[in-house]
Amino acid sequence: METREQWKSSLGFVLAAAGSAVGLGNLWGFAYRASQGGGLAFILLYILIVLVVCLPVLVAEMVLGRSTGKSPLIAPIQAAGNKWQPMGWLFVIASIGILAFYAVLMGWTADTFFHSLFFGLPGNMSEAETFFGSISSGSSVLLGQLLSLILTASVVAAGVRGGIEKLTKWCVPLLFLLLVVLAIWSATLPGTWEGYRTFLLRWDTSEFFNSTTIRNAFTQAFFSLSLGIGVMIAYSSYLDRSKKLPKQALAVASLDTSVGILAGMVTFPIVMSFGLKEAVSSSTVGTLFISLPTGLGTLGITGRIVAILFFALAFLAAITSSISLLEVPVASLMDRLGWSRYKSVLISTGLIFLIGIPSALDLNVLGKMDSIFGGVLLILGGFLLSVLLGWVVPRKFDEDLSSSNSEIRVRRYLKFMLRWVSPPVIAFGLVVSFMDLLKNWS
Ligand code: TRP
């Protein structure tokens, strides 16, 4: 048997995991969910869920990967026996489902980038809608989706060290830098405070009880952290025993959350300065692709440069995420059927392309796939993970953390949260989200 690949350095692992976390979910999902009316309540709930509920589950998911050294499909069985096989399938199915529509969004991103670079920005709202119509339909959308998948596949085919680690090591710091520059620029716009106030700071206590706000906060937390469907299992299975997982998990979560907030600080002032609030408050999946280019279009060449940088950054963020999603089925096929990496990549990518076609051609399907695969299934996966590591095989959790010398205080805290806080809170989030999904289905 071949020995399992390993990350070259622990920084490489953290950057790869952070690269997976930081993606279109931070730039596009955050903007679109934050503008659905939750305001500050949404943001506080989201941060609270990340810190209190998701962080222990993130450590648990990493422990499951590292302690078993297996792919997401096999790790649950290895840890707790055959009864847990469905969990492995959930991971593989959900990651395929997410990547299927994620690649479509990547295609839009690339298209917007090239459009800003070569042709310039739309001059007004109706031009923007025509523009968005052209990137989100017909053959160009299929082409964008296909090329994004091919790019993703070629990185994953190059392996953990040679592909994933190499790419994320450059991309993640670069995109962080770009985002800080853009946030500073955005802060100088005339509508800055209006933007922060309207979307990021607006306070409304009743939003805490609004099921859509609660679902948005849970979904955003899990989706943005890449939590609940085995990405972190896959990545941690290539990590050696000496690294302290709680520290790494905290680094990933902090990076991810700050990118979410920074992205909001870039997008909202732009939207407000150019009076695009109406367009955004209807908040469809197209928000960012319509309002941002339109707003920037009024600023001449500066706006065009900012648009080029922003969509380049978004594409970088997206590809470091899409490779992590593809790694789930790829690692699982290699593990289960003994296929080569190359063959696993080829078959998975082809399948994902086909599954994504309906979402490429119909925005409604895309939205549905997002709320099922990128929403309730993730929360379900998170719930199962907390039960598995908190209750079924708690010893694994202890052993793994003590073998890497994590502090006893940290271990006790995480274990307590994983057993007593995460499962009930996630179960609550799951029920509310599921009901809200049904309510808003049509
Ligand atoms: N976290 C990424 C984003 O914010 C998307 C992503 C990558 C993801 N891997 C995942 C989401 C696993 C859920 C599960 O865009």
Side-chain angles (χ1 to χ4, degrees):
M1 226 178 94
E2 281 181 62
T3 51
R4 206 170 177 76
E5 263 196 281
Q6 295 262 306
W7 301 103
K8 207 158 143 202
S9 69
S10 81
L11 182 67
F13 166 74
V14 171
L15 289 179
S20 165
V22 172
L24 295 176
N26 304 62
L27 305 169
W28 161 82
F30 187 78
Y32 131 73
R33 292 194 182 100
S35 53
Q36 279 191 331
L40 191 55
F42 160 77
I43 293 169
L44 288 181
L45 272 178
Y46 157 66
I47 294 177
L48 202 70
I49 294 169
V50 168
L51 289 179
V52 177
V53 183
C54 289
L55 207 53
V57 182
L58 182 58
V59 177
E61 190 173 336
M62 289 176 170
V63 164
L64 186 58
R66 181 166 74 176
S67 64
T68 58
K70 293 285 178 204
S71 67
L73 180 64
I74 309 290
I77 306 175
Q78 177 92 1
N82 266 329
K83 269 206 316 259
W84 285 81
Q85 179 146 34
M87 186 171 169
W89 283 110
L90 170 71
F91 292 160
V92 173
I93 292 168
S95 52
I96 288 178
I98 294 177
L99 185 51
F101 76 82
Y102 204 82
V104 175
L105 298 177
M106 284 174 82
W108 294 0
T109 309
D111 218 343
T112 312
F113 168 76
F114 285 120
H115 217 95
S116 322
L117 188 62
F118 294 120
F119 307 110
L121 299 169
N124 54 45
M125 211 55 204
S126 80
E127 265 183 56
E129 268 158 24
T130 318
F131 166 73
F132 181 67
S134 78
I135 66 166
S136 64
S137 62
S139 56
S140 80
V141 65
L142 289 175
L143 190 67
Q145 174 209 13
L146 182 64
L147 291 179
S148 301
L149 277 175
I150 290 177
L151 218 56
T152 303
S154 55
V155 177
V156 175
V160 175
R161 265 195 197 191
I164 298 175
E165 187 168 359
K166 240 190 206 145
L167 179 83
T168 47
K169 218 169 188 161
W170 287 101
C171 280
V172 174
L174 179 66
L175 75 90
F176 202 79
L177 187 77
L178 273 176
L179 200 58
V180 171
V181 171
L182 290 183
I184 294 173
W185 173 79
S186 240
T188 65
L189 292 173
T192 303
W193 275 105
E194 234 356 75
Y196 295 163
R197 238 200 329 271
T198 313
F199 294 117
L200 296 171
L201 303 177
R202 196 176 53 80
W203 180 257
D204 180 353
T205 313
S206 71
E207 287 294 338
F208 282 109
F209 305 99
N210 179 332
S211 63
T212 303
T213 302
I214 297 176
R215 166 155 76 112
N216 276 338
F218 270 94
T219 305
Q220 184 61 24
F222 278 85
F223 190 88
S224 178
L225 283 176
S226 301
L227 188 60
I229 57 153
V231 163
M232 296 298 167
I233 299 180
Y235 274 13
S236 315
S237 73
Y238 307 118
L239 188 67
D240 76 67
R241 294 268 167 173
S242 64
K243 307 299 181 312
K244 293 186 175 156
L245 291 181
K247 224 171 91 188
Q248 322 244 2
L250 189 63
V252 171
S254 324
L255 261 172
D256 182 60
T257 308
S258 32
V259 169
I261 310 259
L262 269 176
M265 291 172 64
V266 176
T267 49
F268 294 126
I270 297 177
V271 168
M272 280 318 281
S273 326
F274 307 106
L276 300 168
K277 195 173 156 214
E278 287 310 302
V280 172
S281 57
S282 62
S283 235
T284 60
V285 288
T287 304
L288 205 58
F289 297 88
I290 298 180
S291 58
L292 222 55
T294 317
L296 292 171
T298 57
L299 285 180
I301 188 73
T302 321
R304 190 160 162 191
I305 293 171
V306 170
I308 293 168
L309 288 179
F310 183 85
F311 285 96
L313 169 162
F315 195 81
L316 290 184
I319 188 152
T320 58
S321 299
S322 64
I323 54 179
S324 73
L325 286 161
L326 184 57
E327 183 62 21
V328 174
V330 167
S332 299
L333 284 173
M334 290 167 65
D335 215 13
R336 170 81 192 237
L337 301 176
W339 287 359
S340 70
R341 176 167 279 274
Y342 191 72
K343 181 173 173 193
S344 311
V345 167
L346 212 64
I347 306 263
S348 313
T349 309
L351 186 69
I352 290 166
F353 175 66
L354 293 178
I355 294 176
I357 291 178
S359 65
L361 300 177
D362 185 345
L363 284 179
N364 203 7
V365 175
L366 191 142
K368 295 279 186 279
M369 288 189 56
D370 178 30
S371 37
I372 295 173
F373 294 107
V376 286
L377 286 188
L378 288 181
I379 307 176
L380 175 63
F383 174 72
L384 293 174
L385 278 165
S386 64
V387 172
L388 180 64
L389 273 300
W391 292 97
V392 181
V393 287
R395 284 257 306 282
K396 273 218 161 354
F397 193 71
D398 285 335
E399 276 166 17
D400 188 276
L401 294 190
S402 47
S403 74
S404 58
N405 288 322
S406 292
E407 280 172 59
I408 188 126
R409 231 166 5 118
V410 175
R411 248 152 58 201
R412 286 221 180 105
Y413 166 79
L414 286 173
K415 183 135 177 235
F416 176 82
M417 300 304 280
L418 192 63
R419 283 169 78 92
W420 299 104
V421 178
S422 301
V425 177
I426 301 176
F428 165 79
L430 185 60
V431 172
V432 173
S433 302
F434 191 67
M435 302 300 268
D436 187 66
L437 181 63
L438 287 185
K439 197 174 85 190
N440 295 309
W441 184 255
S442 55

